[in-house]
Amino acid sequence: MMRPKYRPIFILVILIMAACGPSDGELTEAVRAELEGVEGLENVEVAVDAGIAQLTGQVESEEMKETAGGIAENVKGITEVANSIIVDVSMDDTVDSVSMSDSELKEKVKANFQEYQLDNINIEVDNGVVTLTGEIREEELHEVMSAAMESGADKVINKLTVTE
């Protein structure tokens, strides 16, 4: 039988252990692992901060976007999902895409950002894949991803730092 004087310490240890859930990095990897197994979600990027999963990228249908959000919500430790995935029907393999050079694509992304009045975003293009870096406010994320996707990029990789 446990002595009464050790009981508070034992309870404190149990509470601390219960509060130590998976880290944001572990949650990010868990969500990625779940998404990797689903066809059509290869272009979805995941970042977890304080248990909130931020989903970005592009899919070919609203159904796929909802599927990705549902998968993320079901990962133990995820408290909320911010689903900023862009639906791009041109991803459908039956649609012929018009190819453009990387420099043309970069200029198109820049023009779209100007139209959306977005600044301070670094754009790199390699083989039709646009990579975005820099800092943006959380409320701008959807516009940034929309502007980038509307450019005709094959894929957009979000490496942006989101600030409040």
Side-chain angles (χ1 to χ4, degrees):
M1 183 105 187
M2 188 181 311
R3 292 185 180 176
K5 68 179 184 179
Y6 295 114
R7 197 168 285 154
I9 294 171
F10 181 72
I11 292 171
L12 181 61
V13 168
I14 298 253
L15 289 173
I16 289 171
M17 288 175 62
C20 295
S23 70
D24 287 339
E26 291 169 330
L27 289 172
T28 298
E29 290 307 313
V31 173
R32 280 187 185 141
E34 292 294 321
L35 293 174
E36 283 178 3
V38 180
E39 186 176 340
L41 298 181
E42 300 85 8
N43 295 320
V44 175
E45 299 290 328
V46 181
V48 177
D49 185 24
I52 300 171
Q54 175 71 50
L55 303 180
T56 57
Q58 56 191 6
V59 295
E60 65 183 54
S61 69
E62 189 65 37
E63 180 181 355
M64 293 304 295
K65 177 179 177 175
E66 290 173 16
T67 297
I71 288 171
E73 283 176 352
N74 287 322
V75 171
K76 187 175 181 183
I78 296 297
T79 58
E80 184 179 332
V81 175
N83 194 341
S84 299
I85 295 172
I86 305 296
V87 176
D88 182 8
V89 294
S90 70
M91 290 177 62
D92 187 346
D93 291 339
T94 61
V95 177
D96 290 332
S97 62
V98 177
S99 64
M100 63 180 102
S101 71
D102 286 348
S103 60
E104 291 172 319
L105 180 56
K106 185 173 184 174
E107 290 306 312
K108 182 123 180 168
V109 173
K110 282 182 183 179
N112 287 356
F113 282 179
Q114 287 176 346
E115 187 176 316
Y116 279 85
Q117 298 177 349
L118 300 166
D119 297 320
N120 301 323
I121 300 170
N122 300 314
I123 305 162
E124 295 296 324
V125 180
D126 183 28
N127 231 7
V129 176
V130 174
T131 302
L132 305 174
T133 57
E135 286 189 5
I136 61 164
R137 293 187 322 261
E138 185 175 359
E139 61 269 11
E140 292 177 319
L141 183 60
H142 183 72
E143 288 181 335
V144 167
M145 294 306 292
S146 293
M149 292 307 306
E150 291 169 6
S151 68
D154 292 333
K155 179 179 180 181
V156 176
I157 299 173
N158 175 6
K159 292 189 177 180
L160 295 163
T161 301
V162 179
T163 60
E164 292 182 30

